[in-house]
Amino acid sequence: MCGIVGYLGDTEAAPVIFESLKRLEYRGYDSYGFATLKNKEFFIKKGEGKISDASIQNLSRGLPGFMGVGHSRWATHGKVSAENSHPHTDCNGDFLVVHNGIIENYQELRKELKVKGHRFRSDTDTEIIPHLIEEYSELGFEDAVKKAVSRLKGRYAIVTLSRESDKIIGVRRGSPLIVGVKNNVKDSSKGSGKGLSKKRKEYFLASDIPAFLKHTSNVMYLDDEEMVVIDRTGRGIKFYSMENGKEIEKRIVNIGWDPGQAEKNGFEHFMLKEIMEQKDTIRMAINQNMEDIERISKDIKNAFGTFFTGCGTAGNVCLAGEYIFSKVAGKHINFIVSSEFPNYHHFMTDKTLLIAISQSGETADLLEAIEAAKKKHVRIISLVNVMGSSLDRKSDHSFLINAGPEKAVASTKAATSQLALVTLLAYACAGKLDEGRRLLIETASKVNDMINPRYEKHIRGLAEKIHSKENMYIIGRSLNYPMALESAIKIQEVSYIHAQGFAGGELKHGPLALIDKGTPCIALVANDEVKNDIISNAVEIKSRGGYIIGVAPENNEVFDYWIKVPDVGNASPIVNIIPIQILAYHLAILRGHDPDYPKNLAKSVTVK
Ligand code: AGP
């Protein structure tokens, strides 16, 4: 949560930072702030609300200089206000900091610093950092940052500037921070960069790659407990370990993403664009090294206990994985939601295998689960979208799901890619890899046929009928029970309709009492052994007045509204969730909400 950026180069920093921050807005959109540095003077601007609602001209005016920082906030400590938005400075305005994460011991540090005479202007945990740097400033900027950071507890990433220095410093401890490097700057922009060599590099620091993807796809990854120092004078970059202070060698990696993938490309919202991209992403997800698939599936088979972990949508994919492995491979895998993992892992050993699923690879609860598992020497296999993310780097083996950047808060294409890969692994585990691949290739092609404007229009028609309802229920059984839970998350998070998913069989144990005349209820149906049972559940709801929406390969007399999906056997979770994603999107639009920026949420949940 929160997006941070830094820039040092040969063009005016403010517009670069503004554009980069707009691309990170999905991480937090309560308020924003910028600062540039020129001739030993800071220029700072802050505002409330979404940065994309602000004008670049107004913001850039009065922000001169070729280096600077920016921040898009998702409030944790202190209300949404200009005072609480970043960057924060020390007493004399000599140091400034943008920060993502939480400083757990900020209250005691604040007390200590106040006693020493420091004056605080905000309610944030962040503000203690520039004051700590000020406190140790006699050590010089780099050492003062090291010393300040050694006093902090929690997970965070910071980027900091000093008025007196030409350096930009970033520190990573538990929250993402990536360096983008652009080589061979052709020319400096108008009126800037006089006398700069044509080969000087431009550097970007950001919480996520899309922030600078327009400029470069060459990245250098910081690991936890590392600091990066970029020096404008020599245009050099150095990495240091925060543990022993030693310099670390780093490689430049090309992540192979194309800048267009992080843009809306004519779609009004990222969410719809990403839903539509599922025409291709399912196929890309199973484009894996088949030897790795075989090898890891053997490990899963032989492990003395295999577990899934993930949060939110990724957690629902884990639960679906439990069912898919049971049904396809006869293999028992338990799902432990990541936030509960530290409370339920005591029996694990070095023979246990943990499969972690995450789009971002930066979710704090998931990373804590990984840490807890690692202490028990558990082996970690991950299914992750972001190359070089914390999860990718902490895993013994990672499968990249190849979905490309996912920017809408609601996870759509990443979820179906994860489902496809889990299904492939289950088939491999059953010794039926070729059958699994054939099924998934066929599913990808049927998804391609399914998602078209006519289909979307049909679902929009349903959204028009039900968008004023305040409650909705979704039922599924077997492989589609986790998709009922996932449907509920999708509808809740973008339309704010109260939606709940249930196992069809659970209805009569309580939820049936919630059904009134006209309550919309979605039944997720597949041509499988539970088809008749889920249809019976739909009948039970209908007899209590419910309005039945059937997502199914075939129509049925119990359905008031039918959304057709292809019959793809054990890949049914993939095709059944897609129409619900489209429905959630249109419900949000019809209710006047921006589906890309749901209230109170952020894309990457990097705080506990
Ligand atoms: C998905 O629609 C949600 N916004 C959320 O539940 C998300 O899936 C969860 O926070 C996990 O994120 P991750 O996949 O990046 O770990």
Side-chain angles (χ1 to χ4, degrees):
M1 331 200 105
C2 296
I4 57 181
V5 299
Y7 172 76
L8 187 158
D10 292 329
T11 53
E12 290 282 349
V16 177
I17 294 169
F18 181 91
E19 284 297 331
S20 300
L21 216 49
K22 254 170 58 179
R23 293 188 170 81
L24 283 192
E25 199 165 47
Y26 65 91
R27 299 180 64 87
Y29 32 89
D30 294 340
S31 50
Y32 55 83
F34 302 87
T36 55
L37 174 61
K38 189 175 181 187
N39 298 337
K40 300 190 188 302
E41 196 182 338
F42 284 140
F43 299 85
I44 301 175
K45 279 196 182 178
K46 298 181 179 191
E48 279 183 40
K50 279 166 69 179
I51 186 164
S52 46
D53 293 339
S55 132
I56 183 161
Q57 278 82 10
N58 288 346
L59 278 176
S60 303
R61 209 170 294 136
L63 287 173
F66 304 116
M67 61 193 286
V69 296
H71 186 271
S72 185
R73 182 166 184 245
W74 187 87
T76 56
H77 296 67
K79 64 175 193 231
V80 177
S81 68
E83 299 76 56
N84 286 335
S85 55
H86 304 209
H88 291 285
T89 54
D90 66 314
C91 299
N92 303 320
D94 288 335
F95 304 99
L96 62 75
V97 172
V98 288
H99 157 228
N100 165 213
I102 287 183
I103 310 300
E104 287 166 5
N105 57 337
Y106 84 101
Q107 283 175 328
E108 61 190 75
L109 289 170
R110 194 171 159 116
K111 259 188 221 147
E112 176 191 316
L113 288 161
K114 272 189 173 172
V115 170
K116 289 183 174 161
H118 290 262
R119 298 175 315 278
F120 286 82
R121 300 176 198 95
S122 77
D123 305 319
T124 64
D125 52 345
T126 308
E127 199 187 343
I128 55 139
I129 310 171
H131 288 282
L132 274 175
I133 300 174
E134 177 189 10
E135 190 61 26
Y136 302 120
S137 56
E138 280 183 4
L139 300 171
F141 185 34
E142 282 179 43
D143 286 334
V145 173
K146 279 185 202 157
K147 181 76 183 163
V149 162
S150 72
R151 305 280 322 273
L152 307 178
K153 290 194 181 132
R155 290 176 172 279
Y156 54 84
I158 62 165
V159 177
T160 173
L161 296 176
S162 150
R163 209 166 49 76
E164 290 294 328
S165 125
D166 254 1
K167 289 175 184 165
I168 183 163
I169 297 183
V171 176
R172 173 178 180 148
R173 181 182 281 162
S175 292
L177 188 64
I178 301 138
V179 181
V181 184
K182 189 176 175 190
N183 280 314
N184 295 328
V185 179
K186 290 258 166 43
D187 203 353
S188 45
S189 71
K190 289 167 215 139
S192 71
K194 272 186 209 141
L196 290 175
S197 148
K198 287 192 171 180
K199 292 227 162 151
R200 284 167 69 134
K201 291 185 168 84
E202 274 184 292
Y203 294 101
F204 306 83
L205 276 158
S207 308
D208 202 356
I209 295 163
F212 54 73
L213 194 56
K214 184 179 159 197
H215 303 279
T216 183
S217 55
N218 288 331
V219 304
M220 297 177 92
Y221 291 111
L222 271 143
D223 279 316
D224 282 342
E225 306 300 334
E226 287 182 1
M227 169 167 132
V228 59
V229 181
I230 307 169
D231 187 348
R232 180 163 167 77
T233 318
R235 201 54 64 86
I237 184 163
K238 288 193 172 161
F239 292 84
Y240 298 95
S241 158
M242 298 296 292
E243 278 155 355
N244 58 24
K246 288 198 179 139
E247 197 179 332
I248 307 164
E249 286 289 314
K250 292 273 174 183
R251 279 186 319 122
I252 296 182
V253 180
N254 188 289
I255 48 124
W257 281 359
D258 146 13
Q261 285 181 296
E263 304 299 329
K264 284 189 196 156
N265 293 341
F267 285 92
E268 205 166 325
H269 297 99
F270 280 111
M271 183 176 176
L272 189 59
K273 177 200 168 216
E274 287 159 8
I275 290 171
M276 296 302 162
E277 282 175 346
Q278 292 171 109
K279 283 166 169 279
D280 301 312
T281 47
I282 293 159
R283 199 185 308 273
M284 275 142 56
I286 56 164
N287 188 9
Q288 301 286 338
N289 177 330
M290 290 303 145
E291 280 172 19
D292 285 345
I293 294 280
E294 294 269 29
R295 184 170 51 83
I296 299 296
S297 67
K298 274 199 191 100
D299 292 349
I300 296 173
K301 203 168 173 178
N302 298 332
F304 192 69
T306 303
F307 296 82
F308 278 120
T309 194
C311 306
T313 289
N316 290 331
V317 172
C318 291
L319 188 61
E322 232 188 64
Y323 278 85
I324 296 166
F325 266 85
S326 168
K327 189 172 179 194
V328 172
K331 172 80 187 163
H332 175 212
I333 303 188
N334 268 349
F335 161 50
I336 307 170
V337 67
S338 301
S339 55
E340 281 302 314
F341 190 93
N343 311 322
Y344 189 74
H345 73 296
H346 310 89
F347 45 85
M348 294 188 183
T349 70
D350 58 357
K351 299 199 173 42
T352 312
L353 195 66
L354 180 65
I355 306 176
I357 303 186
S358 171
Q359 188 285 127
S360 62
E362 299 293 353
T363 302
D365 289 329
L366 179 85
L367 296 177
E368 278 223 352
I370 300 300
E371 271 161 34
K374 280 190 162 246
K375 282 193 187 133
K376 295 270 181 176
H377 309 287
V378 169
R379 243 182 108 219
I380 317 287
I381 307 299
S382 62
L383 274 56
V384 61
N385 195 30
V386 180
M387 184 203 265
S389 57
S390 300
L391 177 61
D392 179 22
R393 299 169 77 72
K394 286 172 196 275
S395 302
D396 294 289
H397 182 91
S398 331
F399 290 104
L400 294 173
I401 60 165
N402 306 324
E406 188 182 71
K407 297 191 67 179
V409 167
S411 185
T412 54
K413 61 176 179 171
T416 49
S417 295
Q418 292 159 351
L419 282 168
L421 196 44
V422 164
T423 307
L424 190 69
L425 281 166
Y427 272 90
C429 197
K432 298 177 187 167
L433 178 57
D434 287 342
E435 185 183 329
R437 278 190 70 197
R438 276 198 303 278
L439 170 70
L440 290 161
I441 289 168
E442 185 195 329
T443 304
S445 127
K446 288 188 172 167
V447 165
N448 191 3
D449 297 342
M450 177 176 99
I451 309 181
N452 59 42
R454 204 157 32 91
Y455 195 69
E456 193 196 336
K457 198 170 162 213
H458 178 62
I459 297 173
R460 164 106 188 175
L462 171 64
E464 280 163 2
K465 280 183 192 295
I466 62 172
H467 74 275
S468 56
K469 301 284 181 183
E470 284 312 323
N471 297 295
M472 277 181 72
Y473 303 101
I474 308 98
I475 55 167
R477 281 177 178 255
S478 184
L479 305 185
N480 279 293
Y481 159 53
M483 291 304 102
L485 304 185
E486 173 54 14
S487 302
I489 284 201
K490 281 294 87 70
I491 294 167
Q492 287 160 11
E493 71 181 327
V494 297
S495 76
Y496 316 153
I497 292 175
H498 167 244
Q500 262 186 286
F502 300 107
E506 283 298 293
L507 275 177
K508 53 191 174 296
H509 300 293
L512 214 43
L514 297 169
I515 308 299
D516 287 317
K517 190 164 185 300
T519 307
C521 298
I522 303 175
L524 301 178
V525 185
N527 260 340
D528 58 11
E529 61 290 345
V530 295
K531 177 181 162 187
N532 291 339
D533 290 335
I534 198 78
I535 293 289
S536 299
N537 296 139
V539 172
E540 286 157 17
I541 296 173
K542 191 161 178 147
S543 14
R544 272 95 186 158
Y547 178 79
I548 307 295
I549 300 144
V551 173
E554 288 142 21
N555 203 352
N556 188 289
E557 61 186 25
V558 71
F559 300 157
D560 294 298
Y561 205 98
W562 175 42
I563 301 175
K564 187 174 180 181
V565 286
D567 183 359
V568 289
N570 289 330
S572 69
I574 298 174
V575 298
N576 279 1
I577 195 61
I578 293 174
I580 307 301
Q581 297 168 348
I582 301 173
L583 177 65
Y585 172 79
H586 283 293
L587 287 172
I589 300 291
L590 288 163
R591 289 167 70 93
H593 307 312
D594 182 341
D596 286 348
Y597 299 108
K599 73 171 191 294
N600 307 336
L601 299 181
K603 177 68 176 165
S604 207
V605 187
T606 54
V607 293
K608 268 213 284 182

